Amino acid sequence: MATLAPLGTGTRPYRDYLTPALHSRFIRASRYTILLCYAIACWQSKWDNFLWLWLPFGPTGIRTLLLFIPALTIYLLRIAQWHVGQRQTLTRAETFQKYFLRKNTILTLVFYAFSAWLFNEVYVWSRTIEEKLNFTELGRAHERLKLNERPLYLRFLFNTLAVAQTGVHLWRDYDHIDIPAMQPRKFDEAIAADAPVKRGPRPIKVLVKQLRPMSLNSASLALLVTVAGSLVYFIGPRHLIWEYYYNFSRNLISLSKTSKPTGLAPFAPLVSKFVVEGTLLVLLWEFVNKAFDSYIALEPLKNSKPITSDSKDPNGTLINGLKAKKDAPKSMAFWELALITEAFPDRRKTIYAEMSRKKAPTFQQITDFCLAEVKLLIERLNVGLDPTYQPAAASAVLQPAPSVNLAPQISRPLKDDKQVVALPPKPSTKWEHFEAATSGIARSHSSPGNSQQAWGREGINRGLHRAQEGVQQAESVASTAFTKILESPFGYVFSHSLPRRAKLVVLGAPYSRISLICNAITALTNLAVFSISEDAIGRFHESVPAIIRTFTLAITKIDAYMSSLQVHWSDKDTLGKPEAERKNVSEVDQVRDCLQKGLQNVLNSFDKYLGGMGMSMLEISDANKAAAITKIPGMIQAG
């Protein structure tokens, strides 16, 4: 057995190798962001002095560094809040309920507001006196200084822009990272040779390609905020903001006694300035978000090798990543495992060879972690098919704890036919006498004997009947009101979407686990296919029956669940499609295709040996059927 070190020695947390890789990507993304900041700084300088533009310690260089701080603020926000996979909720209203009123939403607004404020201050500080953006404006020689409202108006628009960008950020879920969900290769391609790593396009090419669409979207948002923000400012809080602004400023400098803002004329030139600068700021924000997405979603490789290759115990470190509690490092670990099993034969062979690991052989631990993801998918499908379903571990009946004698009995037990009851205190005041009398009357009329009388039973039944009618009426009113809401234009956010329900069950919640599921399936498939030629010890075949059974059950459950789904009358988007396409959910089809390709490869590799592995003819027949069927909307057809 060829290993770099005794198994278990040198095993380190997976994040020790993932974090430096992410930091290096962040630095690479920051370089291009600084270039964009430099371009913005040159634009703001109007190219008035060509020599100063190229001096790193000149005004343009200083402004570039200052403009990078707003960009760095958004980078820090993304680092703190990024997650793998898209949000999964049943309705749009549930998305709003879960993700709007939370701490991360407030932090997003604070970070964007700080970024917009600093960008505005850098712009204002770099303007000349002729542009009239100073804190005060000069009046006549004998008059005191007047407070200038123009920079206040500009700051209001930039803060409004931050609020708008926060809404865009939350609506489009900028915090999510799309990690590729790898698919097993075809059987003949898988056994022919190891394929090179399929890399995506270089991030810089993606950024350059997206620069024009980002510029157009930025200009649109800046124009919208200019119109909406100006209307809100002049119609709404203008005088209130000015009052606080004036009262605060008069404590710093001596101002004229007027506390009312002037007319609209001084603000006209600011409209074009804000449109341009607002567009540049939104472009900077969009560039930062796109650069972060592009670089963080790069393959978990370092120098064209898996990032755990530098560890003294590479597979042990990888196993630590597979069992991580947080989804981000766990998703990266499964992605690295899928890449290792597909494109790195030397590393793949060590998975078969390491038998003396502490808990179980390396291949067994990796197989268990991968199968756990598929079994979790099956559990979700069981719940989707039968909401009353309970997993075996959760449905186990807890045995009552045995009684414990804490102390020996020191007195005789109380007799069963007698009760020890403390006498109530005697009434002393007039109100206490009145309370005692009324309570006695109530007890006398509610005694068990009275309920035996016919009129008592009739009254009780009549009261129960009225209560039931009241409950039914309340439910009917609530149902009618909810139906009217769904039929109204506002019902779009409460509608029951079939694709949302299907993705919630198949892909998991609160975030999609499609990359975890497909990468786990791909890793299992590759390990099973290559074990025939690379497993020198010959132990991996023991896991093949479990892989086949799990894949077969998962495919069967997906087909049964999708067939059982019914389109709700409020799901107008799905009802607008042709009937044959209503149950086509691309993400669900992607998971099913991954399972089917994996099952086909495993069956083609072990077809001759399945009987000797303990699988019955019925199991083999079901597996072949699941691997060969092709799904059409709403039903299953043998292919």
Side-chain angles (χ1 to χ4, degrees):
M1 185 187 311
T3 56
L4 297 176
L7 299 182
T9 62
T11 303
R12 299 175 62 184
Y14 187 75
R15 64 176 180 272
D16 289 354
Y17 297 90
L18 178 61
T19 303
L22 297 180
H23 285 173
S24 64
R25 299 173 188 178
F26 167 71
I27 293 174
R28 291 159 63 186
S30 300
R31 294 174 182 173
Y32 298 108
T33 307
I34 292 177
L35 290 178
L36 179 60
C37 293
Y38 174 75
I40 296 175
C42 292
W43 173 269
Q44 291 180 349
S45 65
K46 302 299 182 182
W47 305 87
D48 51 359
N49 192 324
F50 185 79
L51 179 61
W52 283 111
L53 294 178
W54 299 101
L55 293 178
F57 299 104
T60 305
I62 296 174
R63 191 183 298 118
T64 300
L65 295 179
L66 291 176
L67 290 176
F68 180 70
I69 298 178
L72 182 62
T73 302
I74 306 305
Y75 272 124
L76 296 178
L77 174 67
R78 295 298 309 276
I79 292 172
Q81 297 188 172
W82 74 285
H83 59 82
V84 177
Q86 297 181 345
R87 295 179 304 215
Q88 299 284 99
T89 53
L90 191 58
T91 62
R92 298 170 183 86
E94 184 181 351
T95 303
F96 179 84
Q97 177 186 358
K98 291 181 63 176
Y99 294 100
F100 183 74
L101 298 176
R102 60 171 186 160
K103 181 181 67 174
N104 287 354
T105 301
I106 299 175
L107 288 178
T108 303
L109 177 59
V110 170
F111 274 71
Y112 272 110
F114 174 79
S115 178
W117 170 81
L118 187 56
F119 185 94
N120 173 70
E121 297 304 319
V122 173
Y123 173 73
V124 171
W125 294 340
S126 62
R127 297 301 90 194
T128 60
I129 299 178
E130 290 75 13
E131 298 188 42
K132 299 180 181 180
L133 290 178
N134 294 332
F135 187 68
T136 59
E137 57 181 348
L138 295 176
R140 298 179 182 177
H142 62 278
E143 292 180 348
R144 292 184 179 181
L145 295 176
K146 292 182 179 181
L147 191 61
N148 190 4
E149 190 185 1
R150 290 160 60 86
L152 176 65
Y153 168 70
L154 198 61
R155 291 184 178 95
F156 179 84
L157 289 183
F158 271 102
N159 281 286
T160 305
L161 187 63
V163 175
Q165 181 66 20
T166 301
V168 174
H169 184 108
L170 298 174
W171 178 262
R172 297 180 180 175
D173 191 18
Y174 279 178
D175 291 327
H176 88 276
I177 299 294
D178 287 324
I179 289 183
M182 296 179 60
Q183 295 274 333
R185 291 182 292 169
K186 294 182 179 180
F187 177 71
D188 52 350
E189 296 177 356
I191 62 177
D194 292 291
V197 178
K198 296 181 179 179
R199 292 177 174 264
R202 294 181 59 189
I204 183 59
K205 292 184 178 180
V206 175
L207 293 175
V208 172
K209 185 178 180 180
Q210 292 293 324
L211 198 58
R212 185 172 181 271
M214 286 190 296
S215 300
L216 296 176
N217 293 334
S218 302
S220 301
L221 184 61
L223 284 171
L224 178 63
V225 170
T226 302
V227 177
S230 298
L231 291 176
V232 171
Y233 179 78
F234 289 109
I235 296 176
R238 181 190 184 191
H239 291 276
L240 181 62
I241 295 176
W242 171 266
E243 182 178 353
Y244 285 101
Y245 182 53
Y246 178 81
N247 291 333
F248 172 77
S249 302
R250 67 184 301 180
N251 296 323
L252 302 178
I253 57 177
S254 178
L255 298 172
S256 60
K257 294 183 178 181
T258 178
S259 61
K260 295 182 180 180
T262 55
L264 302 179
F267 298 95
L270 287 181
V271 173
S272 60
K273 297 180 185 297
F274 174 76
V275 170
V276 174
E277 298 302 322
T279 300
L280 294 176
L281 177 57
V282 178
L283 177 61
L284 181 62
W285 286 338
E286 293 291 330
F287 186 89
V288 167
N289 283 300
K290 193 64 180 179
F292 187 87
D293 293 342
S294 301
Y295 278 96
I296 294 300
L298 286 175
E299 297 83 1
L301 304 175
K302 181 181 178 181
N303 299 326
S304 299
K305 294 183 179 180
I307 59 176
T308 55
S309 298
D310 295 338
S311 174
K312 295 181 180 179
D313 184 9
N315 292 333
T317 303
L318 180 61
I319 290 175
N320 286 338
L322 297 178
K323 62 182 180 182
K325 294 182 179 180
K326 294 184 178 181
D327 286 342
K330 188 174 184 179
S331 300
M332 286 290 184
F334 271 96
W335 188 12
E336 181 183 357
L337 174 64
L339 291 173
I340 289 172
T341 58
E342 182 172 289
F344 296 92
D346 295 337
R347 178 72 180 274
R348 184 175 60 229
K349 292 177 183 178
T350 63
I351 296 177
Y352 303 117
E354 294 176 353
M355 303 296 296
S356 58
R357 196 169 292 279
K358 186 175 181 181
K359 294 183 179 180
T362 298
F363 79 87
Q364 187 61 57
Q365 294 191 47
I366 290 177
T367 301
D368 290 341
F369 285 125
C370 293
L371 285 177
E373 286 298 322
V374 186
K375 292 178 180 177
L376 185 60
L377 164 65
I378 295 173
E379 292 293 336
R380 292 195 299 269
L381 291 168
N382 287 332
V383 176
L385 289 167
D386 182 11
T388 62
Y389 171 82
Q390 293 291 338
S395 61
V397 179
L398 297 178
Q399 298 295 332
S403 59
V404 180
N405 294 325
L406 299 179
Q409 184 174 333
I410 59 177
S411 63
R412 295 181 180 181
L414 296 176
K415 295 183 179 181
D416 296 337
D417 56 346
K418 294 183 180 181
Q419 296 180 353
V420 179
V421 181
L423 294 176
K426 293 182 179 181
S428 58
T429 64
K430 180 176 65 175
W431 285 107
E432 290 179 354
H433 282 285
F434 177 78
E435 182 181 358
T438 54
S439 61
I441 295 173
R443 284 194 299 270
S444 64
H445 283 279
S446 61
S447 61
N450 293 335
S451 63
Q452 302 298 325
Q453 300 177 11
W455 61 270
R457 291 196 302 270
E458 183 180 355
I460 293 174
N461 292 333
R462 187 161 53 251
L464 291 175
H465 181 67
R466 290 179 178 177
Q468 291 175 354
E469 288 181 350
V471 172
Q472 292 176 357
Q473 291 178 358
E475 292 178 350
S476 176
V477 171
S479 177
T480 303
F482 186 68
T483 301
K484 291 182 178 179
I485 292 175
L486 289 178
E487 292 175 348
S488 68
F490 300 100
Y492 178 76
V493 298
F494 299 98
S495 62
H496 297 268
S497 171
L498 184 144
R500 279 177 170 266
R501 181 180 294 275
K503 288 189 290 185
L504 186 65
V505 172
V506 177
L507 307 182
Y511 305 115
S512 172
R513 302 175 67 89
I514 186 171
S515 64
L516 280 169
I517 298 171
C518 289
N519 290 334
I521 295 169
T522 301
L524 284 175
T525 302
N526 292 334
L527 288 174
V529 170
F530 288 106
S531 66
I532 295 179
S533 59
E534 296 179 355
D535 184 11
I537 300 177
R539 291 286 304 277
F540 188 85
H541 71 276
E542 299 172 359
S543 303
V544 171
I547 296 174
I548 295 176
R549 294 188 184 105
T550 305
F551 285 11
T552 303
L553 182 58
I555 294 173
T556 305
K557 291 290 184 180
I558 290 177
D559 291 333
Y561 176 71
M562 294 303 295
S563 298
S564 67
L565 282 180
Q566 301 295 328
V567 183
H568 195 264
W569 63 267
S570 64
D571 189 3
K572 298 179 181 179
D573 293 338
T574 303
L575 291 175
K577 300 177 180 179
E579 187 174 358
E581 301 177 1
R582 290 179 179 176
K583 293 188 178 181
N584 288 346
V585 183
S586 58
E587 292 85 352
V588 176
D589 293 339
Q590 184 178 353
V591 173
R592 190 187 182 282
D593 291 343
C594 188
L595 284 165
Q596 191 176 39
K597 291 178 182 177
L599 185 58
Q600 289 174 351
N601 288 358
V602 176
L603 290 176
N604 289 332
S605 300
F606 292 90
D607 185 40
K608 301 178 182 179
Y609 315 107
L610 296 179
M613 293 180 178
M615 296 191 66
S616 64
M617 294 300 297
L618 179 61
E619 290 177 328
I620 298 174
S621 176
D622 290 342
N624 287 323
K625 183 179 179 181
I629 58 177
T630 57
K631 191 188 72 162
I632 62 176
M635 61 181 296
I636 301 173
Q637 177 181 355

